[in-house]
Amino acid sequence: MDQRKLIYAAYRLKFLTPVHIRPDNGQNPLHSSGTSLHSDTFFSALCVEASHQSDQAVESLIENAEQNHILLSDLFPYRNDELFLPKPMILDLLQKMENDRDNRKRLKRLPYIPLSLWERYLQFDQMEDFLDECEGIVSNIAFPDQRQRVQVSCQSEEDSEPYFVQATRFHQGCGLYCVMGFADGEIKKQVEAYLELLGWTGIGGKRSSGWGKFQFTPMPLPEKLEKMVRTENAKQWVTLNTSLPSNYKVAETGYYTVCRRGGFVHQQDYKKQTVYAFSPGSSFSDKFEGVVKNVAPSDKQPAYRMLKPLFLGVEV
């Protein structure tokens, strides 16, 4: 289904406890925690909640994803009413960034672009003033919360070993949000039911410690963002989520980074197959069809990654 025809809404997640988000940068997964969550991880968590209802509920959710009846973005930060978007990897902007010797380092360090400043970034004019304003908005949205744990051996007389786990705590008025698109109101209602259950279960790591719990608030998509999601023609298409094309030739037309997607299957003792997907903010001259990929070993129960792109149409 064409993404322009979907019903869209944004969902703001207010975290009630710390949340541990595994980093992509190769750091120790226990010693660091991020401020955004991949869309495929979020979809898998919704599938787990659906599985508590019935096998048919999970199959329906996956089928809707395969038919593009559900689309969802990565979870990005927000501050009050300001939504943050991934920094777009558009060639023209990347070249201007490299040529801007005065602001190059600050631009590279910038993790997100506030929606209210999106056009100013695309225009790439008066960047020092832009950076001053932008850094004031995106900085200090969260802080690390490091906890000490003890690993106790129940099967030997070895000494207990302490270790540290870092979580993310969001400041007042800050949290994560997700953009979702639905083919109809019935699918929207069902996914929101799973989302409410997920708020009690939690997302991210160390949920057995009570981490990752949240309350969500639906909100209409801001007009500026909805226009980019629904646009029919654009010079560049920027991904708002973690995605993987069904035809790799599309990589020849884009500028992107890739992220490693791996990990264990929920409550199972086997790993998912590793997948390298396009990171959010990747830019392409043409749209592409994504995949819903079974990443379980061939002799195990299926486990799916949703890697369908949600695009923003951009004129640069």
Side-chain angles (χ1 to χ4, degrees), residues 36-97:
S36 61
L37 186 75
H38 289 288
S39 53
D40 60 330
T41 298
F42 192 51
F43 180 77
S44 296
L46 293 172
C47 286
V48 170
E49 295 305 322
S51 70
H52 296 156
Q53 180 176 322
S54 67
D55 290 342
Q56 290 74 22
V58 180
E59 292 170 3
S60 175
L61 196 58
I62 293 169
E63 183 179 343
N64 282 323
E66 290 175 334
Q67 297 176 357
N68 293 332
H69 291 174
I70 300 173
L71 286 177
L72 64 160
S73 73
D74 275 28
L75 272 65
F76 301 112
Y78 70 84
R79 182 192 295 276
N80 298 318
D81 293 330
E82 182 72 82
L83 305 182
F84 298 170
L85 297 176
K87 187 165 59 176
M89 288 171 271
I90 298 173
L91 177 60
D92 183 54
L93 296 180
L94 295 175
Q95 291 174 336
K96 290 178 179 178
M97 185 190 305

Side-chain angles (χ1 to χ4, degrees), residues 181-198:
F182 312 96
D184 57 52
E186 188 59 36
I187 296 175
K188 181 175 182 286
K189 181 180 178 181
Q190 190 63 71
V191 172
E192 287 178 346
Y194 299 147
L195 186 57
E196 185 169 4
L197 293 171
L198 185 58

Side-chain angles (χ1 to χ4, degrees), residues 198-271:
L198 185 58
W200 291 101
T201 304
I203 58 175
K206 296 297 177 182
R207 295 187 301 276
S208 60
S209 300
W211 287 4
K213 299 183 185 300
F214 63 85
Q215 293 175 337
F216 78 91
T217 304
M219 58 177 283
L221 214 57
E223 182 179 350
K224 186 185 300 184
L225 185 55
E226 183 161 10
K227 182 179 179 181
M228 288 190 287
V229 169
R230 294 192 184 278
T231 189
E232 183 174 358
N233 298 301
K235 291 182 180 178
Q236 292 290 321
W237 299 98
V238 176
T239 58
L240 201 55
N241 60 356
T242 307
S243 57
L244 185 69
S246 54
N247 184 344
Y248 286 94
K249 283 190 175 182
V250 71
E252 299 173 1
T253 72
Y255 287 85
Y256 53 86
T257 59
V258 295
C259 52
R260 182 183 183 276
R261 312 299 300 129
F264 284 86
V265 176
H266 178 70
Q267 294 185 340
Q268 301 293 332
D269 60 352
Y270 56 89
K271 281 189 172 184

Side-chain angles (χ1 to χ4, degrees), residues 39-40 239 241-248 250-251 258-259 261 274-279 282 284 288-295 305-311:
S39 53
D40 60 330
T239 58
N241 60 356
T242 307
S243 57
L244 185 69
S246 54
N247 184 344
Y248 286 94
V250 71
V258 295
C259 52
R261 312 299 300 129
T274 299
V275 173
Y276 289 88
F278 294 143
S279 301
S282 297
F284 303 89
F288 60 85
E289 181 71 19
V291 296
V292 177
K293 189 176 181 65
N294 179 13
V295 291
R305 277 198 190 283
M306 182 183 176
L307 298 165
K308 294 272 191 172
L310 176 58
F311 289 107

Side-chain angles (χ1 to χ4, degrees), residues 27-164:
Q27 293 179 329
N28 187 306
L30 294 179
H31 295 173
S32 57
S33 179
T35 54
S36 61
L37 186 75
H38 289 288
S39 53
D40 60 330
T41 298
F42 192 51
F43 180 77
S44 296
L46 293 172
C47 286
V48 170
E49 295 305 322
S51 70
H52 296 156
Q53 180 176 322
S54 67
D55 290 342
Q56 290 74 22
V58 180
E59 292 170 3
S60 175
L61 196 58
I62 293 169
E63 183 179 343
N64 282 323
E66 290 175 334
Q67 297 176 357
N68 293 332
H69 291 174
I70 300 173
L71 286 177
L72 64 160
S73 73
D74 275 28
L75 272 65
F76 301 112
Y78 70 84
R79 182 192 295 276
N80 298 318
D81 293 330
E82 182 72 82
L83 305 182
F84 298 170
L85 297 176
K87 187 165 59 176
M89 288 171 271
I90 298 173
L91 177 60
D92 183 54
L93 296 180
L94 295 175
Q95 291 174 336
K96 290 178 179 178
M97 185 190 305
E98 287 299 322
N99 293 332
D100 189 344
R101 295 184 179 181
D102 294 333
N103 300 302
R104 181 168 52 198
K105 290 184 178 179
R106 291 175 68 189
L107 286 164
K108 287 184 175 181
R109 288 196 299 264
L110 196 64
Y112 309 105
I113 307 296
L115 179 59
S116 63
L117 300 179
W118 180 259
E119 284 88 356
R120 284 181 60 186
Y121 180 74
L122 297 183
Q123 292 167 1
F124 215 86
D125 187 31
Q126 298 181 331
M127 294 310 291
E128 188 166 351
D129 292 341
F130 164 82
L131 283 166
D132 289 342
E133 186 173 352
C134 190
E135 289 170 346
I137 297 173
V138 304
S139 64
N140 207 29
I141 58 173
F143 60 93
D145 183 356
Q146 192 170 72
R147 308 286 182 93
Q148 186 175 23
R149 296 286 188 267
V150 177
Q151 183 176 5
V152 180
S153 176
C154 300
Q155 298 178 347
S156 70
E157 296 181 358
E158 295 179 3
D159 293 338
S160 300
E161 295 185 7
Y163 65 96
F164 291 91

